[in-house]
Amino acid sequence: MKIYLVGGAVRDRLLGLAPGDRDWVVVGATQGEMEAQGFKAVGRDFPVFLHPDTGEEYALARTERKSGRGYRGFVVDADPSVTLEEDLQRRDFTVNAIAQDEDGTLVDPCGGARDLEARVLRHVGPAFSEDPLRVLRAARFMARFASLGFTVAPQTMALMRAMVASGELDTLVPERVWQELRRALASATPSAFLATLRACGALAVVLPEVDALYGVPQRAEYHPEVDTGLHQEMVSDMAARLAPADARIGFAALVHDLGKALTPADVLPKHIGHEHAGVAPVIALCERLKVPLDHRELAVMACREHLNIHRLFELRDATVVELLTRCDAFRRPERIPWLATVCEADKRGRGGQQEADYPQGRTLVRLHQAALQVSAREVVREGMTGVQIGEALQAARVVAVRQQRQTDG
């Protein structure tokens, strides 16, 4: 039995990045031998074990053979005779097909170290096309590594286009699509995820509502980038900058403008009412991908309210309280800072505005905090009905917002 460190831990060390989870491959062992040493079997589709002390994952070296459509259509062979090189050959990208033995020596049969130096994401071999999930993984890796100068190898992009054209991506289940999207939105450059998927035609398959934004014009005085799809890429990157690794804010930023794809051609480049038109496609996307409820609720709020928050200084005090009430901000106060951040990303995610100030976000948070200070005990009088209590609370909150605005000057 021999054990090697593999995959992302080796890749990231060679890139000089902070190490994440460590994965290990075991050559020359059986499941019984692993369990006899205290390892706990957890793999459902192939033999993976948890170390009895560290909890890290150890997988038996294996090969895979395509047996059907989709990312689960494989027959796995984890016989002790499978070599390390055979295990590495079945991996997706050369940069992930590097192993390191206990003395630090690299085993790199696919040239992954060379591609790391060249900043190229390249598929290991033709078996790449057998797993449609790898198209999304390529895009997700670009979201993480584009800022380091990585590009997708032309041969890999051509293979990805062929995979999309074959219909293989139709076999992906929503949970796996969401998992890759979530990780991309928590990366440094989500725009690279969108651009990579669009370059191979996959964006129209997995996120058609977002793909539909490309080519839709906006008014140049507000959006120098003009193209709504390009604006969306800029907003997604700004959200990642303002709220690093926060996929909830990233997702709300991603879908805030979906209504612009529905604007009638004779109205363009104006988008009157797009914030309301966008709610239905946001909900449809969330239902299709089984997006978690907290992500979905913030996304709907951001879509519906972002123009109101941009115009915050024009809103009446009562209108501000109505907005907060619509957002359930008095029971869920954490939502307002999230919403403010999404709206700031929208405002700054456009040409020439990347360093602009966004006082609306800070003011919204202050007004919300002021309204939160209103206590039911202060406004409830004996004999009041439920409706009267609600009206009294609302009126007191309006006063609190007005006073905060006067304090702000």
Side-chain angles (χ1 to χ4, degrees), residues 24-39:
W24 306 84
V25 67
V26 183
V27 178
T30 65
Q31 179 165 341
E33 289 170 336
M34 296 294 288
E35 291 175 339
Q37 294 192 32
F39 285 83

Side-chain angles (χ1 to χ4, degrees), residues 49-280:
F49 306 85
L50 298 183
H51 191 283
D53 298 323
T54 67
E56 293 178 331
E57 289 191 358
Y58 286 66
L60 297 185
R62 67 185 190 271
T63 60
E64 297 171 346
R65 176 172 54 82
K66 186 73 168 175
S67 61
R69 282 173 62 82
Y71 65 93
R72 283 191 172 174
F74 292 91
V75 173
V76 173
D77 178 12
D79 188 85
S81 64
V82 175
T83 67
L84 174 64
E85 288 73 14
E86 287 174 327
D87 180 274
L88 295 175
Q89 288 284 348
R90 66 159 180 84
R91 295 175 182 265
D92 49 9
F93 303 104
T94 60
V95 298
N96 295 333
I98 309 170
Q100 177 183 312
D101 68 15
E102 58 187 11
D103 65 7
T105 301
L106 296 182
V107 181
D108 183 19
C110 305
R114 181 179 62 247
D115 283 339
L116 282 175
E117 291 182 7
R119 299 297 194 257
V120 173
L121 192 66
R122 188 191 314 277
H123 64 287
V124 168
F128 178 91
S129 63
E130 297 176 350
D131 185 353
L133 190 63
R134 289 175 168 177
V135 173
L136 297 188
R137 283 173 58 82
R140 192 246 299 167
F141 280 127
M142 286 302 297
R144 184 178 178 196
F145 295 130
S147 60
L148 299 180
F150 271 79
T151 60
V152 179
Q155 305 94 322
T156 302
M157 181 59 72
L159 192 56
M160 290 162 59
R161 290 194 187 102
M163 293 168 68
V164 173
S166 73
E168 270 282 308
L169 269 66
D170 295 335
T171 66
L172 291 172
V173 298
E175 291 84 354
R176 298 307 295 270
V177 175
W178 169 248
Q179 182 180 2
E180 295 298 324
L181 173 59
R182 178 185 58 79
R183 295 178 72 180
L185 293 172
S187 298
T189 318
S191 64
F193 178 82
L194 301 176
T196 302
L197 290 183
R198 188 163 180 259
C200 68
L203 191 62
V205 177
V206 296
L207 292 171
E209 299 89 348
V210 177
D211 186 70
L213 296 175
Y214 288 87
V216 176
Q218 303 165 108
R219 294 172 64 180
E221 63 266 38
Y222 300 117
H223 290 277
E225 70 283 355
V226 179
D227 189 300
T228 306
L230 297 181
H231 167 59
Q232 182 51 64
E233 292 183 5
M234 298 173 74
V235 172
S236 289
D237 285 354
M238 183 58 66
R241 173 179 162 185
L242 296 174
D246 193 327
R248 178 175 44 219
I249 286 174
F251 179 69
L254 175 69
V255 300
H256 81 284
D257 261 352
L258 293 189
K260 289 183 176 179
L262 304 177
T263 301
D266 61 340
V267 179
L268 295 173
K270 296 182 179 180
H271 292 278
I272 301 170
H274 76 275
E275 69 276 23
H276 301 296
V279 170

